[in-house]
């Protein structure tokens, strides 16, 4: 009995010792084991810069790929700060009023507020810069002659600067809006697909030179509404005498009723052309491409304008024409050092003008003017912006005293070496700072006119003359409300910039 009791006590003691050991092991840390740390975090700084400096109060959000999002407003310095778990994020914000996101190259970023910007916070801190530029909105409505809205009509804001043209399309209700940077623009409108509506400029103008200037330098422009006029279709096919289609030929029309520039359409690979025109009476002139050894032709089968037949285009018409071969004036145009001049124009016309035709030089300076046997004046026009001087072949200051070149039934070679002059360039503006397209710039010396040019759509001109003393005339474009400047004395010794401001006619 006594031995069994001792055994029982020993078993109980061992049991409680085991319990105590287990409790002790659970309450302490095993040797060599480090507590696990919380998830790593990194800092993200987002800087918002607008047209007027830092953008304060802009809501900026950083989102994970799983959709978790953290947002914060930018402070007075345009900065929003985040402390985020390590990972990759997409940063986005709404655009400030009258501004839009641009990338590092200044190109607008699509989407409301611009596309998201990715940032990697897996290994450390990161930063993002959101850049914005100021915008203005040009808006209006496009209708047809019956006052119905025109859907899908292309609308373009054409800047009076070197900036890019911005385009959009009209909505189902005919409304449109185009967001642009502050500046001066001319608006062009094309008819919707398949509607036979004529292209035009605001407000109802037929070309860029006459178009109204839309000024959005300080505010949006609303109510730029247009009604597109209905047109008629002139179409047909141009072929050679062998029945082959003539590709890339120009079919050009000129209206009787108004003194407007020629309008031209090119033939396709099948020699087919389609021209949408306003109902009127027209001259029609077909000019083959630079690569074809074919004669240009007036309707109907006339070699010169005085023999042309007018086209009554009050309804749709089809006019096919056949072009025949002819001899060519060929050659090369080089500079004073003998280097080829690329993209100069070689122009030929008879002393009594019957249809001036110009062809460009290629990279080797070579040209070809295919035309009927006749006596011609040939003028070479250097590339735009060049300091090379325009020149008549054989000498002469103007077409009145220029030498002639006779072309017979075989090709004739005429090479031309141009002379270098001094370049004068500038911009012609109104008193309000609007660049003037189509202003005439004439340069004269004591013997009369030396050369002349026109300003482009940005009001810019460039002209080359021999060094000397000249009188410059700056004639206002038509129509306009500015006063021309005549007889401004200018001494030209080296390349120079000559900007001009034409005063308002009604100050």
């Amino acid at each position: 009995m006594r031995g069994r009791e001792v055994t029982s006590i020993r078993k109980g003691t061992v049991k409680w010792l085991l319990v105590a050991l287990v409790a002790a092991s659970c309450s302490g840390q095993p040797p060599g084991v480090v507590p696990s740390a919380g998830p790593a975090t990194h800092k993200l700084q987002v800087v918002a810069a607008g047209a007027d400096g830092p953008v304060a109060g802009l809501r900026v959000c950083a989102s994970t790929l799983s959709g978790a999002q953290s947002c914060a407003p930018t402070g007075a310095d345009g900065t929003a700060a985040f402390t985020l778990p390590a990972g990759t994020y997409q940063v986005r914000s709404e655009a400030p009023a009258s501004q839009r996101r641009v990338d590092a190259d200044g190109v607008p970023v699509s989407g409301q507020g611009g596309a998201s910007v990715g940032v990697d916070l897996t290994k450390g801190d990161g930063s993002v810069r959101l850049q914005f530029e100021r915008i203005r909105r040009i808006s209006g409505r496009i209708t047809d002659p019956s006052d119905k809205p025109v859907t899908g009509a292309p609308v373009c804001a054409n800047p009076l600067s070197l900036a890019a043209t911005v385009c959009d399309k009209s909505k189902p209700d005919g409304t449109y809006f185009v967001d642009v940077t502050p500046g001066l623009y001319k608006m062009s409108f094309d008819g919707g697909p398949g509607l036979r509506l004529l292209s035009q400029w605001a407000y109802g103008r037929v070309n860029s030179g006459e178009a109204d200037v839309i000024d959005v330098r300080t505010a949006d422009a609303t109510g730029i509404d247009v009604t597109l006029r209905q047109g008629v279709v002139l179409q047909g096919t141009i072929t050679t005498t062998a029945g082959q289609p003539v590709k890339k030929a120009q079919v050009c029309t000129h209206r009787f009723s108004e003194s407007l520039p020629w309008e031209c359409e090119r033939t396709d690979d099948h020699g087919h052309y389609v021209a949408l025109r306003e109902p009127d009476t027209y001259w029609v002139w077909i000019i083959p491409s630079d690569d074809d050894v074919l004669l240009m032709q007036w309707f109907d089968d006339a070699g010169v304008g005085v023999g042309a037949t007018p086209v009554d285009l009050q309804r749709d018409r089809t006019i096919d024409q056949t072009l025949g071969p002819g001899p060519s004036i060929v050659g090369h145009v080089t500079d004073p050092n003998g280097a080829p001049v690329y993209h100069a124009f070689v122009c030929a016309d008879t002393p009594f003008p019957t249809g001036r035709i110009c062809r460009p030089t290629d990279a080797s300076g070579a040209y070809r003017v295919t035309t009927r046997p006749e006596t011609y004046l040939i003028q070479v026009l250097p590339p735009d912006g060049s300091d090379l001087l325009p020149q008549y072949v054989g000498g002469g200051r103007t077409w009145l005293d220029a030498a002639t070149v006779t072309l017979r039934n075989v090709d004739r070679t005429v090479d031309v070496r141009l002379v270098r002059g001094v370049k004068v360039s500038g911009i012609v503006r109104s008193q309000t700072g609007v660049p003037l397209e189509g202003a005439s710039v004439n340069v004269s010396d004591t013997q009369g006119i030396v050369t002349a040019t026109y300003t482009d759509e940005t009001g810019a001109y460039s002209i080359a003359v021999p060094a000397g003393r000249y009188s410059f005339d700056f004639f206002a474009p038509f129509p306009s409300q500015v006063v021309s400047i005549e007889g401004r004395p200018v001494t030209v010794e080296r390349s120079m910039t000559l900007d001009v401001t034409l005063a308002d006619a009604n100050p």
Side-chain angles (χ1 to χ4, degrees):
M1 293 291 295
R2 191 177 298 274
R4 289 177 183 173
E5 291 175 359
V6 171
T7 302
S8 177
I9 293 172
R10 286 177 178 173
K11 287 182 178 179
T13 303
V14 171
K15 177 179 178 182
W16 287 109
L17 286 171
L18 289 172
V19 171
L21 287 171
V22 171
S25 67
C26 291
S27 62
Q29 293 184 355
V33 177
V34 179
S36 60
T41 60
H42 297 297
K43 293 182 179 180
L44 170 63
Q45 183 183 63
V46 179
V47 179
D52 301 317
V55 180
L58 188 68
R59 188 170 183 265
V60 179
C61 295
S63 305
T64 64
L65 298 179
S66 63
Q69 180 173 272
S70 180
C71 300
T74 55
D77 60 352
T79 301
F82 298 84
T83 300
L84 301 169
T88 57
Y89 292 85
Q90 295 292 317
V91 178
R92 184 181 181 86
S93 76
E94 297 300 317
S98 300
Q99 298 190 47
R100 66 183 172 192
R101 269 274 314 283
V102 292
D103 62 19
D105 297 320
V107 178
V109 179
S110 61
Q112 180 66 26
S116 299
V117 180
V119 60
D120 185 359
L121 300 183
T122 57
K123 298 180 180 180
D125 299 341
S127 64
V128 168
R129 182 179 179 86
L130 303 178
Q131 186 70 43
F132 300 90
E133 68 176 1
R134 186 170 300 286
I135 58 171
R136 301 294 183 210
R137 175 162 291 186
I138 303 173
S139 60
R141 186 168 182 262
I142 305 173
T143 55
D144 66 12
S146 61
D147 201 34
K148 293 181 180 179
V150 178
T151 302
V155 183
C156 292
N158 304 271
L160 275 63
S161 67
L162 298 179
T165 296
V166 183
C167 299
D168 207 334
K169 292 184 177 181
S170 59
K171 308 300 184 288
D173 61 355
T175 61
Y176 72 90
F177 66 84
V178 182
D179 289 335
V180 296
T181 55
L184 302 167
Y185 294 84
K186 292 183 177 181
M187 300 298 296
S188 59
F189 304 85
D190 288 334
L195 298 180
R196 293 193 176 192
L197 296 173
L198 294 163
S199 300
Q200 69 181 51
W201 298 74
Y203 297 90
R205 311 301 189 186
V206 296
N207 59 52
S208 173
E210 294 185 350
D212 294 273
V213 175
I214 309 300
D215 187 348
V216 289
R217 288 176 291 185
T218 59
D220 296 345
T222 60
I224 313 299
D225 303 334
V226 296
T227 299
L228 299 180
R229 299 186 297 275
Q230 204 77 41
V232 292
V233 174
L234 172 66
Q235 62 179 316
T237 303
I238 310 301
T239 57
T240 67
T241 52
Q244 297 298 314
V246 180
K247 305 175 184 178
K248 298 180 180 179
Q250 293 186 79
V251 179
C252 302
T253 60
H254 190 277
R255 294 174 65 176
F256 270 35
S257 63
E258 297 184 54
S259 180
L260 296 172
W262 287 85
E263 292 183 276
C264 301
E265 313 294 339
R266 285 199 180 270
T267 57
D268 61 18
D269 288 347
H270 305 287
H272 187 67
Y273 71 92
V274 178
L276 184 65
R277 296 291 185 264
E278 187 144 0
D280 206 333
T281 302
Y282 291 85
W283 297 117
V284 179
W285 192 22
I286 299 96
I287 306 170
S289 73
D290 301 338
D291 301 325
D292 288 323
V293 187
L294 297 169
L295 294 170
M296 63 180 183
Q297 183 172 288
W298 297 74
F299 179 81
D300 186 14
D301 297 326
V304 294
V306 293
T309 301
V311 174
D312 184 10
L313 198 60
Q314 301 299 329
R315 55 181 176 79
D316 294 352
R317 285 195 60 171
T318 297
I319 293 180
D320 301 327
Q321 290 284 272
T322 300
L323 305 183
S328 301
I329 303 169
V330 299
H332 288 79
V333 178
T334 56
D335 68 11
N337 298 321
V341 178
Y342 173 61
H343 211 62
F345 279 89
V346 181
C347 303
D349 199 357
T350 53
F352 179 79
T354 55
R356 179 181 174 95
I357 182 170
C358 299
R359 297 299 192 190
T361 57
D362 62 19
S364 69
Y367 73 90
R368 175 184 291 273
V369 179
T370 301
T371 185
R372 70 191 186 283
E374 183 61 270
T375 298
Y376 292 96
L377 301 172
I378 299 176
Q379 186 183 25
V380 181
L381 303 175
D384 289 342
S386 170
D387 62 353
L388 296 169
L389 298 175
Q391 179 177 315
Y392 281 97
V393 171
R397 286 169 55 95
T398 69
W399 65 275
L400 295 173
D401 56 3
T404 58
V405 173
T406 300
L407 176 66
R408 305 193 187 280
N409 288 317
V410 294
D411 291 354
R412 178 162 180 180
T413 299
V414 178
D415 295 326
V416 181
R417 177 165 291 194
L418 298 177
V419 176
R420 204 171 297 282
V422 181
K423 186 168 69 173
V424 181
S425 57
I427 298 177
V428 180
R429 299 182 177 90
S430 70
Q431 278 188 318
T432 57
V434 175
L436 297 175
E437 178 182 359
S440 303
V441 183
N442 292 356
V443 183
S444 304
D445 60 12
T446 56
Q447 300 180 55
I449 191 165
V450 175
T451 188
T453 190
Y454 291 94
T455 56
D456 64 15
E457 62 274 9
T458 67
Y461 73 92
S462 179
I463 205 165
V465 294
R469 301 180 66 180
Y470 297 95
S471 175
F472 275 65
D473 301 325
F474 298 90
F475 292 109
F478 179 83
S480 66
Q481 298 295 320
V482 294
V483 179
S484 302
I485 294 176
E486 298 184 51
R488 172 174 289 188
V490 178
T491 299
V492 179
E493 297 177 340
R494 59 184 63 86
S495 294
M496 61 182 293
T497 298
L498 181 60
D499 295 334
V500 172
T501 298
L502 301 186
D504 292 338
N506 300 301

